[in-house]
Coordinates of all heavy atoms in Angstrom, one line a residue:
R646 N 46.7 -36.3 40.0 CA 45.5 -36.4 39.2 C 45.3 -37.9 38.7 O 44.2 -38.4 38.8 CB 45.6 -35.5 38.0 CG 44.4 -35.4 37.2 CD 44.4 -34.4 36.1 NE 45.0 -33.1 36.5 CZ 45.9 -32.4 35.8 NH1 46.3 -32.8 34.7 NH2 46.3 -31.3 36.3
A647 N 46.4 -38.5 38.2 CA 46.3 -39.9 37.7 C 46.0 -40.8 38.9 O 45.2 -41.8 38.7 CB 47.6 -40.3 37.1
L648 N 46.5 -40.6 40.0 CA 46.2 -41.5 41.2 C 44.8 -41.3 41.6 O 44.1 -42.3 41.9 CB 47.1 -41.1 42.3 CG 46.9 -42.0 43.6 CD1 47.2 -43.4 43.4 CD2 47.8 -41.4 44.7
A649 N 44.3 -40.1 41.6 CA 42.8 -39.9 42.0 C 41.9 -40.6 41.0 O 40.9 -41.2 41.3 CB 42.6 -38.4 42.0
I650 N 42.2 -40.5 39.7 CA 41.4 -41.1 38.6 C 41.5 -42.6 38.8 O 40.4 -43.3 38.8 CB 41.9 -40.7 37.2 CG1 41.6 -39.2 37.0 CG2 41.3 -41.6 36.2 CD1 42.2 -38.7 35.7
D651 N 42.6 -43.2 39.1 CA 42.8 -44.6 39.2 C 42.0 -45.1 40.4 O 41.3 -46.1 40.4 CB 44.3 -45.0 39.4 CG 44.5 -46.5 39.4 OD1 43.9 -47.2 38.6 OD2 45.3 -46.9 40.3
L652 N 42.1 -44.4 41.5 CA 41.3 -44.8 42.7 C 39.8 -44.7 42.6 O 39.1 -45.6 43.0 CB 41.8 -44.0 43.9 CG 43.2 -44.2 44.5 CD1 43.6 -43.2 45.5 CD2 43.3 -45.6 45.0
L653 N 39.4 -43.7 41.9 CA 37.9 -43.5 41.7 C 37.4 -44.6 40.7 O 36.3 -45.2 40.9 CB 37.6 -42.2 41.1 CG 37.7 -41.0 42.1 CD1 37.6 -39.7 41.3 CD2 36.6 -41.1 43.1
L654 N 38.2 -45.0 39.7 CA 37.8 -46.0 38.8 C 37.8 -47.4 39.5 O 36.9 -48.2 39.3 CB 38.8 -46.1 37.6 CG 38.6 -45.1 36.5 CD1 39.7 -45.1 35.5 CD2 37.3 -45.3 35.8
R655 N 38.7 -47.7 40.3 CA 38.7 -48.9 41.1 C 37.5 -49.0 42.0 O 36.9 -50.1 42.1 CB 40.0 -49.1 41.8 CG 41.2 -49.4 41.0 CD 42.5 -49.4 41.8 NE 43.6 -49.5 40.9 CZ 44.3 -50.6 40.7 NH1 44.0 -51.7 41.3 NH2 45.4 -50.6 39.9
F656 N 37.2 -47.9 42.6 CA 36.1 -47.9 43.5 C 34.8 -48.2 42.8 O 34.0 -49.0 43.2 CB 36.0 -46.5 44.2 CG 34.7 -46.3 45.0 CD1 34.5 -47.0 46.2 CD2 33.7 -45.5 44.6 CE1 33.4 -46.8 47.0 CE2 32.5 -45.4 45.3 CZ 32.4 -46.0 46.5
L657 N 34.6 -47.5 41.6 CA 33.4 -47.7 40.8 C 33.4 -49.2 40.3 O 32.3 -49.8 40.3 CB 33.4 -46.8 39.6 CG 32.8 -45.5 39.8 CD1 32.9 -44.6 38.5 CD2 31.3 -45.6 40.2
R658 N 34.5 -49.7 39.9 CA 34.5 -51.1 39.4 C 34.0 -52.1 40.6 O 33.2 -52.9 40.3 CB 35.9 -51.5 39.0 CG 36.0 -53.0 38.5 CD 37.3 -53.5 38.4 NE 37.9 -53.5 39.8 CZ 39.2 -53.5 40.0 NH1 40.1 -53.5 39.0 NH2 39.7 -53.4 41.2
N659 N 34.6 -51.9 41.8 CA 34.2 -52.7 42.9 C 32.7 -52.6 43.2 O 32.0 -53.6 43.5 CB 35.0 -52.4 44.1 CG 36.5 -52.8 43.9 OD1 36.8 -53.6 43.1 ND2 37.3 -52.2 44.7
V660 N 32.2 -51.4 43.1 CA 30.7 -51.1 43.4 C 29.9 -51.8 42.3 O 28.9 -52.5 42.7 CB 30.4 -49.6 43.5 CG1 28.9 -49.4 43.4 CG2 31.0 -49.0 44.7
L661 N 30.3 -51.7 41.1 CA 29.5 -52.3 40.0 C 29.5 -53.8 40.1 O 28.5 -54.5 39.9 CB 30.0 -51.8 38.7 CG 29.7 -50.3 38.4 CD1 30.4 -49.9 37.1 CD2 28.2 -50.0 38.4
V662 N 30.7 -54.4 40.3 CA 30.8 -55.8 40.3 C 30.0 -56.4 41.5 O 29.3 -57.4 41.4 CB 32.3 -56.3 40.3 CG1 32.4 -57.7 40.6 CG2 32.9 -55.9 39.0
C663 N 30.2 -55.7 42.7 CA 29.5 -56.2 43.9 C 28.0 -56.1 43.8 O 27.2 -57.0 44.1 CB 30.0 -55.4 45.1 SG 29.2 -55.8 46.6
D664 N 27.5 -54.9 43.2 CA 26.0 -54.8 43.1 C 25.4 -55.7 42.1 O 24.3 -56.2 42.3 CB 25.7 -53.3 42.6 CG 25.8 -52.3 43.7 OD1 26.0 -52.8 44.9 OD2 25.6 -51.1 43.5
S665 N 26.2 -56.0 41.0 CA 25.6 -57.0 40.0 C 25.5 -58.4 40.6 O 24.6 -59.1 40.3 CB 26.5 -57.0 38.8 OG 27.8 -57.5 39.0
A666 N 26.5 -58.7 41.5 CA 26.4 -60.1 42.1 C 25.3 -60.2 43.1 O 24.7 -61.2 43.2 CB 27.7 -60.4 42.7
I667 N 25.0 -59.1 43.8 CA 23.9 -59.1 44.8 C 22.5 -59.0 44.2 O 21.6 -59.7 44.6 CB 24.2 -58.0 45.8 CG1 25.5 -58.3 46.6 CG2 23.0 -57.9 46.8 CD1 25.9 -57.1 47.5
K668 N 22.4 -58.0 43.3 CA 21.0 -57.7 42.8 C 20.6 -58.4 41.6 O 19.4 -58.4 41.2 CB 20.9 -56.2 42.6 CG 21.1 -55.4 43.9 CD 21.0 -53.9 43.6 CE 21.2 -53.2 44.9 NZ 21.3 -51.7 44.7
G669 N 21.5 -59.0 40.9 CA 21.1 -59.8 39.7 C 20.9 -58.9 38.5 O 21.5 -57.8 38.3
E670 N 20.0 -59.3 37.6 CA 19.7 -58.5 36.4 C 19.1 -57.2 36.5 O 19.3 -56.3 35.7 CB 18.9 -59.4 35.4 CG 19.6 -60.5 34.8 CD 20.5 -60.0 33.7 OE1 20.2 -59.1 33.0 OE2 21.6 -60.6 33.7
S671 N 18.3 -57.0 37.5 CA 17.5 -55.7 37.6 C 18.4 -54.5 37.9 O 18.0 -53.4 37.6 CB 16.5 -55.8 38.8 OG 17.1 -56.0 40.0
W672 N 19.6 -54.7 38.4 CA 20.5 -53.5 38.8 C 20.9 -52.8 37.6 O 21.2 -51.6 37.6 CB 21.7 -54.0 39.6 CG 22.7 -54.7 38.8 CD1 22.8 -56.0 38.4 CD2 23.9 -54.0 38.2 NE1 23.9 -56.2 37.6 CE2 24.6 -55.0 37.5 CE3 24.3 -52.7 38.2 CZ2 25.7 -54.8 36.8 CZ3 25.5 -52.5 37.4 CH2 26.2 -53.5 36.7
F673 N 21.0 -53.5 36.4 CA 21.6 -52.9 35.2 C 20.8 -51.7 34.7 O 21.3 -50.8 34.1 CB 21.7 -54.0 34.2 CG 22.7 -53.7 33.1 CD1 24.1 -53.5 33.4 CD2 22.4 -53.5 31.8 CE1 25.0 -53.2 32.5 CE2 23.3 -53.2 30.8 CZ 24.6 -53.1 31.2
H674 N 19.5 -51.8 34.9 CA 18.6 -50.7 34.3 C 18.2 -49.7 35.3 O 17.4 -48.8 35.0 CB 17.3 -51.4 33.7 CG 17.7 -52.3 32.6 ND1 18.1 -51.9 31.4 CD2 17.7 -53.7 32.6 CE1 18.3 -52.9 30.6 NE2 18.1 -54.0 31.3
Q675 N 18.8 -49.7 36.5 CA 18.4 -48.7 37.5 C 19.3 -47.5 37.3 O 20.4 -47.5 36.8 CB 18.7 -49.3 38.9 CG 17.8 -50.4 39.3 CD 18.2 -51.0 40.6 OE1 19.3 -50.8 41.1 NE2 17.4 -51.9 41.1
S676 N 18.8 -46.3 37.7 CA 19.5 -45.1 37.7 C 20.2 -44.8 39.0 O 19.6 -45.0 40.0 CB 18.6 -43.9 37.3 OG 19.3 -42.7 37.4
T677 N 21.5 -44.5 39.0 CA 22.2 -44.2 40.2 C 22.9 -42.8 40.1 O 23.7 -42.7 39.1 CB 23.2 -45.3 40.6 OG1 24.1 -45.4 39.5 CG2 22.5 -46.6 40.8
L678 N 22.6 -41.9 40.9 CA 23.2 -40.6 40.8 C 24.6 -40.6 41.4 O 25.5 -39.8 40.9 CB 22.3 -39.6 41.6 CG 20.9 -39.5 41.0 CD1 20.1 -38.5 41.8 CD2 20.9 -39.1 39.5
N679 N 24.9 -41.4 42.4 CA 26.3 -41.4 43.0 C 27.3 -41.8 42.0 O 28.4 -41.2 41.9 CB 26.3 -42.2 44.2 CG 25.5 -41.7 45.4 OD1 25.3 -40.5 45.4 ND2 25.1 -42.5 46.3
E680 N 27.0 -42.9 41.3 CA 28.0 -43.4 40.3 C 28.2 -42.4 39.2 O 29.3 -42.2 38.7 CB 27.5 -44.8 39.8 CG 27.6 -45.8 40.9 CD 26.8 -47.1 40.5 OE1 26.3 -47.1 39.4 OE2 26.7 -48.0 41.3
A681 N 27.1 -41.8 38.7 CA 27.2 -40.8 37.7 C 28.0 -39.6 38.1 O 28.8 -39.0 37.4 CB 25.8 -40.3 37.2
A682 N 27.9 -39.2 39.4 CA 28.7 -38.1 39.9 C 30.2 -38.4 40.0 O 31.0 -37.6 39.6 CB 28.2 -37.7 41.3
I683 N 30.5 -39.6 40.3 CA 31.9 -40.0 40.4 C 32.4 -40.1 39.0 O 33.6 -39.7 38.7 CB 32.0 -41.4 41.1 CG1 31.7 -41.2 42.6 CG2 33.4 -42.0 40.9 CD1 31.6 -42.5 43.3
C684 N 31.7 -40.6 38.0 CA 32.1 -40.6 36.6 C 32.4 -39.1 36.1 O 33.3 -38.9 35.4 CB 31.1 -41.2 35.7 SG 31.0 -43.0 35.9
C685 N 31.5 -38.2 36.5 CA 31.7 -36.8 36.1 C 33.0 -36.2 36.7 O 33.7 -35.5 36.1 CB 30.5 -35.9 36.5 SG 29.1 -36.3 35.6
M686 N 33.3 -36.6 38.0 CA 34.6 -36.2 38.6 C 35.8 -36.8 37.8 O 36.7 -36.0 37.6 CB 34.6 -36.6 40.1 CG 33.7 -35.9 41.0 SD 34.1 -36.2 42.7 CE 33.6 -37.9 42.9
I687 N 35.7 -38.0 37.4 CA 36.8 -38.6 36.7 C 37.0 -37.9 35.4 O 38.1 -37.6 35.0 CB 36.5 -40.1 36.5 CG1 36.6 -40.9 37.8 CG2 37.5 -40.7 35.5 CD1 36.1 -42.3 37.7
Y688 N 35.9 -37.7 34.7 CA 36.0 -37.0 33.4 C 36.5 -35.6 33.5 O 37.3 -35.1 32.7 CB 34.6 -37.0 32.7 CG 34.6 -36.6 31.3 CD1 35.3 -37.4 30.3 CD2 34.0 -35.4 30.8 CE1 35.3 -37.0 29.0 CE2 34.1 -35.1 29.5 CZ 34.7 -35.9 28.6 OH 34.8 -35.5 27.3
L689 N 36.1 -34.9 34.6 CA 36.6 -33.5 34.8 C 38.1 -33.5 35.1 O 38.8 -32.7 34.6 CB 35.9 -32.9 36.0 CG 36.3 -31.5 36.4 CD1 36.0 -30.5 35.3 CD2 35.6 -31.1 37.7
L690 N 38.6 -34.5 35.9 CA 40.0 -34.6 36.1 C 40.8 -34.9 34.8 O 41.9 -34.4 34.6 CB 40.3 -35.7 37.1 CG 39.9 -35.4 38.6 CD1 40.0 -36.6 39.5 CD2 40.8 -34.3 39.1
E691 N 40.2 -35.7 34.0 CA 40.8 -36.0 32.7 C 40.9 -34.8 31.8 O 41.9 -34.5 31.2 CB 40.1 -37.1 31.9 CG 40.2 -38.5 32.5 CD 39.3 -39.5 31.9 OE1 38.5 -39.1 31.0 OE2 39.5 -40.7 32.2
L692 N 39.8 -34.0 31.8 CA 39.8 -32.8 31.0 C 40.7 -31.7 31.5 O 41.3 -31.0 30.7 CB 38.4 -32.2 30.9 CG 37.4 -33.0 30.1 CD1 36.0 -32.4 30.1 CD2 37.9 -33.1 28.6
L693 N 40.9 -31.6 32.8 CA 41.7 -30.6 33.4 C 43.2 -30.9 33.0 O 44.0 -29.9 33.0 CB 41.6 -30.5 34.9 CG 40.3 -29.9 35.4 CD1 40.2 -30.0 36.9 CD2 40.2 -28.4 35.0
G694 N 43.5 -32.1 32.8 CA 44.9 -32.5 32.4 C 45.1 -32.2 30.9 O 46.2 -32.1 30.4
T695 N 44.0 -32.1 30.1 CA 44.1 -31.9 28.7 C 44.0 -30.5 28.2 O 44.7 -30.0 27.4 CB 43.0 -32.8 28.0 OG1 43.1 -34.1 28.5 CG2 43.2 -32.8 26.5
Y696 N 43.0 -29.8 28.8 CA 42.6 -28.4 28.3 C 42.9 -27.4 29.4 O 42.8 -27.7 30.6 CB 41.1 -28.3 27.9 CG 40.7 -29.2 26.8 CD1 40.1 -30.4 27.1 CD2 41.0 -28.9 25.5 CE1 39.7 -31.3 26.0 CE2 40.7 -29.8 24.5 CZ 40.0 -30.9 24.7 OH 39.6 -31.8 23.7
S697 N 43.4 -26.2 28.9 CA 43.6 -25.1 29.9 C 42.5 -24.1 29.9 O 42.4 -23.3 30.7 CB 44.9 -24.4 29.6 OG 44.9 -23.9 28.3
D698 N 41.6 -24.2 28.8 CA 40.5 -23.3 28.7 C 39.3 -23.8 29.5 O 38.8 -24.9 29.2 CB 40.1 -23.1 27.2 CG 39.1 -22.1 27.0 OD1 38.8 -21.3 28.0 OD2 38.5 -22.0 25.9
W699 N 38.9 -23.1 30.5 CA 37.8 -23.5 31.4 C 36.4 -23.6 30.7 O 35.6 -24.5 31.0 CB 37.6 -22.6 32.6 CG 38.6 -22.9 33.7 CD1 39.8 -22.3 33.9 CD2 38.4 -23.9 34.6 NE1 40.4 -22.9 34.9 CE2 39.6 -23.9 35.4 CE3 37.5 -24.8 34.9 CZ2 39.8 -24.7 36.5 CZ3 37.6 -25.7 36.0 CH2 38.8 -25.7 36.8
S700 N 36.2 -22.8 29.6 CA 34.9 -22.9 28.9 C 34.8 -24.3 28.2 O 33.7 -24.9 28.2 CB 34.8 -21.8 28.0 OG 35.8 -21.8 27.0
V701 N 35.9 -24.7 27.6 CA 35.9 -26.1 27.0 C 35.7 -27.2 28.0 O 34.9 -28.1 27.8 CB 37.2 -26.3 26.2 CG1 37.3 -27.7 25.7 CG2 37.4 -25.3 25.1
V702 N 36.3 -27.1 29.1 CA 36.2 -28.1 30.2 C 34.8 -28.1 30.7 O 34.2 -29.2 30.8 CB 37.2 -27.8 31.4 CG1 36.9 -28.7 32.5 CG2 38.6 -27.9 30.9
R703 N 34.2 -27.0 30.9 CA 32.8 -26.9 31.4 C 31.8 -27.5 30.4 O 30.9 -28.2 30.7 CB 32.4 -25.5 31.7 CG 32.6 -25.1 33.2 CD 32.0 -23.8 33.4 NE 32.7 -22.9 32.5 CZ 32.7 -21.6 32.5 NH1 32.1 -20.9 33.5 NH2 33.4 -20.8 31.7
R704 N 32.0 -27.1 29.1 CA 31.1 -27.6 28.1 C 31.1 -29.1 27.9 O 30.1 -29.8 27.9 CB 31.4 -26.9 26.8 CG 30.4 -27.1 25.7 CD 30.7 -26.2 24.5 NE 32.0 -26.2 24.0 CZ 32.8 -25.2 24.0 NH1 32.4 -24.0 24.5 NH2 34.1 -25.2 23.6
R705 N 32.3 -29.6 27.9 CA 32.5 -31.1 27.7 C 32.0 -31.9 28.9 O 31.4 -32.9 28.8 CB 33.9 -31.4 27.4 CG 34.3 -31.0 26.0 CD 35.7 -31.4 25.7 NE 36.1 -30.9 24.3 CZ 36.4 -31.8 23.4 NH1 36.6 -33.0 23.6 NH2 36.7 -31.3 22.2
T706 N 32.3 -31.3 30.1 CA 31.8 -32.0 31.3 C 30.3 -32.0 31.4 O 29.7 -33.0 31.8 CB 32.4 -31.3 32.6 OG1 33.8 -31.3 32.5 CG2 32.0 -32.0 33.9
F707 N 29.7 -30.9 31.0 CA 28.2 -30.8 31.0 C 27.6 -31.8 30.1 O 26.6 -32.5 30.3 CB 27.7 -29.4 30.7 CG 26.3 -29.3 30.7 CD1 25.5 -29.3 31.9 CD2 25.6 -29.2 29.5 CE1 24.2 -29.1 31.9 CE2 24.2 -29.1 29.5 CZ 23.5 -29.1 30.7
K708 N 28.3 -32.0 28.9 CA 27.8 -32.9 27.9 C 27.8 -34.3 28.4 O 26.8 -35.0 28.3 CB 28.6 -32.8 26.6 CG 28.2 -33.6 25.5 CD 29.1 -33.5 24.3 CE 28.7 -34.4 23.2 NZ 29.6 -34.3 22.1
I709 N 28.9 -34.8 28.9 CA 29.0 -36.2 29.4 C 28.1 -36.3 30.7 O 27.5 -37.4 30.9 CB 30.4 -36.6 29.6 CG1 30.5 -38.1 29.8 CG2 31.1 -36.0 30.8 CD1 30.6 -38.9 28.6
G710 N 28.1 -35.3 31.5 CA 27.4 -35.3 32.7 C 25.9 -35.5 32.5 O 25.2 -36.3 33.2
S711 N 25.3 -34.8 31.5 CA 23.9 -34.9 31.3 C 23.6 -36.3 30.7 O 22.5 -36.8 31.0 CB 23.4 -33.8 30.3 OG 24.1 -33.9 29.1
R712 N 24.5 -36.9 29.9 CA 24.3 -38.2 29.4 C 24.3 -39.2 30.5 O 23.4 -40.1 30.6 CB 25.3 -38.5 28.4 CG 25.0 -39.8 27.7 CD 25.9 -40.1 26.5 NE 27.0 -39.2 26.4 CZ 28.2 -39.5 25.9 NH1 28.4 -40.7 25.5 NH2 29.2 -38.6 25.7
L713 N 25.2 -39.1 31.4 CA 25.3 -40.1 32.5 C 24.2 -39.9 33.6 O 23.7 -40.8 34.1 CB 26.7 -40.0 33.2 CG 27.9 -40.5 32.4 CD1 29.2 -40.1 33.1 CD2 27.8 -41.9 32.2
W714 N 23.9 -38.6 33.8 CA 22.9 -38.3 34.9 C 21.5 -38.7 34.5 O 20.7 -39.2 35.3 CB 22.9 -36.8 35.1 CG 22.6 -36.4 36.5 CD1 21.3 -36.0 36.9 CD2 23.4 -36.4 37.6 NE1 21.4 -35.8 38.3 CE2 22.6 -36.0 38.7 CE3 24.7 -36.7 37.9 CZ2 23.1 -35.9 40.0 CZ3 25.2 -36.6 39.1 CH2 24.4 -36.2 40.2
C715 N 21.2 -38.6 33.2 CA 19.9 -38.9 32.7 C 19.8 -40.4 32.3 O 18.7 -40.9 32.0 CB 19.4 -38.0 31.6 SG 19.3 -36.3 32.1
G716 N 20.9 -41.1 32.2 CA 20.9 -42.4 31.7 C 20.7 -43.5 32.8 O 20.3 -43.1 33.9
N717 N 21.1 -44.7 32.5 CA 21.0 -45.7 33.6 C 22.4 -46.3 33.8 O 23.4 -45.7 33.3 CB 20.0 -46.8 33.2 CG 20.3 -47.4 31.8 OD1 21.4 -47.3 31.3 ND2 19.3 -48.1 31.2
R718 N 22.5 -47.4 34.5 CA 23.8 -48.0 34.8 C 24.6 -48.5 33.6 O 25.8 -48.6 33.6 CB 23.7 -49.1 35.8 CG 23.6 -48.6 37.2 CD 23.9 -49.7 38.1 NE 23.9 -49.2 39.5 CZ 23.6 -49.8 40.5 NH1 23.1 -51.1 40.4 NH2 23.7 -49.3 41.7
R719 N 23.9 -48.8 32.5 CA 24.6 -49.2 31.3 C 25.5 -48.1 30.8 O 26.7 -48.4 30.4 CB 23.5 -49.5 30.2 CG 24.1 -50.0 28.9 CD 23.0 -50.2 27.9 NE 22.0 -51.2 28.3 CZ 22.1 -52.5 28.2 NH1 23.1 -53.0 27.5 NH2 21.1 -53.2 28.6
D720 N 25.1 -46.8 30.9 CA 26.0 -45.7 30.5 C 27.2 -45.6 31.4 O 28.3 -45.4 31.0 CB 25.2 -44.4 30.5 CG 24.0 -44.5 29.5 OD1 24.2 -45.0 28.4 OD2 23.0 -43.9 29.9
V721 N 27.0 -45.8 32.7 CA 28.1 -45.8 33.7 C 29.1 -46.9 33.4 O 30.3 -46.7 33.4 CB 27.5 -45.8 35.1 CG1 28.7 -45.9 36.1 CG2 26.7 -44.5 35.4
V722 N 28.5 -48.1 33.2 CA 29.4 -49.3 32.9 C 30.2 -49.0 31.7 O 31.4 -49.4 31.6 CB 28.6 -50.6 32.8 CG1 29.4 -51.7 32.3 CG2 28.0 -50.9 34.2
K723 N 29.6 -48.5 30.6 CA 30.4 -48.2 29.4 C 31.5 -47.2 29.7 O 32.6 -47.3 29.2 CB 29.5 -47.6 28.3 CG 28.6 -48.6 27.6 CD 27.8 -47.9 26.5 CE 26.8 -48.8 25.9 NZ 26.0 -48.0 24.9
F724 N 31.2 -46.2 30.4 CA 32.2 -45.1 30.8 C 33.4 -45.8 31.5 O 34.5 -45.5 31.2 CB 31.5 -44.1 31.6 CG 32.4 -43.0 32.1 CD1 32.6 -41.9 31.3 CD2 33.1 -43.0 33.3 CE1 33.5 -40.9 31.7 CE2 34.0 -42.0 33.7 CZ 34.2 -40.9 32.9
V725 N 33.1 -46.6 32.5 CA 34.1 -47.2 33.3 C 34.9 -48.3 32.5 O 36.1 -48.3 32.6 CB 33.5 -47.8 34.6 CG1 34.6 -48.6 35.4 CG2 32.9 -46.7 35.5
A726 N 34.2 -49.0 31.7 CA 34.9 -50.1 31.0 C 35.8 -49.6 29.9 O 36.9 -50.2 29.6 CB 33.8 -51.0 30.3
K727 N 35.6 -48.4 29.4 CA 36.5 -47.8 28.4 C 37.8 -47.4 29.1 O 38.9 -47.3 28.5 CB 35.9 -46.5 27.8 CG 34.9 -46.8 26.8 CD 34.3 -45.5 26.2 CE 33.2 -45.8 25.2 NZ 32.7 -44.5 24.7
R728 N 37.8 -47.1 30.4 CA 38.9 -46.6 31.1 C 39.7 -47.6 31.9 O 40.8 -47.3 32.4 CB 38.5 -45.4 32.0 CG 38.2 -44.2 31.1 CD 37.3 -43.2 31.8 NE 37.1 -42.0 31.0 CZ 36.2 -41.9 30.1 NH1 35.5 -43.0 29.7 NH2 36.1 -40.8 29.4
L729 N 39.1 -48.8 32.1 CA 39.8 -49.8 32.9 C 40.3 -50.9 32.0 O 39.7 -51.4 31.1 CB 38.8 -50.4 33.9 CG 38.5 -49.7 35.2 CD1 37.5 -50.4 36.0 CD2 39.8 -49.6 36.0
P730 N 41.5 -51.4 32.4 CA 42.1 -52.5 31.6 C 41.5 -53.9 31.9 O 41.9 -54.8 31.2 CB 43.6 -52.4 31.9 CG 43.6 -51.8 33.3 CD 42.4 -50.9 33.4
C731 N 40.7 -54.0 32.9 CA 40.2 -55.3 33.3 C 39.0 -55.7 32.4 O 38.4 -54.9 31.8 CB 39.8 -55.4 34.8 SG 38.3 -54.5 35.1
T732 N 38.7 -57.0 32.4 CA 37.6 -57.5 31.6 C 36.4 -57.9 32.4 O 35.5 -58.4 31.9 CB 38.1 -58.8 30.8 OG1 38.5 -59.7 31.8 CG2 39.2 -58.5 29.8
C733 N 36.4 -57.5 33.7 CA 35.3 -57.9 34.6 C 34.0 -57.1 34.2 O 32.9 -57.6 34.6 CB 35.7 -57.6 36.0 SG 36.1 -55.9 36.4
L734 N 34.1 -56.0 33.5 CA 32.9 -55.2 33.2 C 32.5 -55.4 31.7 O 31.4 -54.9 31.3 CB 33.1 -53.7 33.5 CG 33.4 -53.4 34.9 CD1 33.7 -51.9 35.0 CD2 32.2 -53.7 35.8
K735 N 33.3 -56.1 30.9 CA 33.0 -56.2 29.5 C 32.2 -57.5 29.2 O 32.1 -58.4 29.9 CB 34.2 -56.2 28.7 CG 34.9 -54.9 28.9 CD 36.2 -54.9 28.1 CE 36.8 -53.5 28.3 NZ 38.1 -53.3 27.7

């Protein structure tokens, strides 16, 4: 589980850094569903390691998922920056 989370976070970091270098300022306010889906997978893996009750896992995943899904890349960047030790996203 930890390895999967680490690999997904590194993938997201690389995508965000590469996209920001290519597209400039406009990329930050765009909505992306793929990045939000990967963040939901990461959060789900984190919750499965913490809680054994599926109703709690579903409720918390839905809460963060709706925030990321309806938001823009700023929300995704915040999510990834909290979990990565690098300063490239801060």
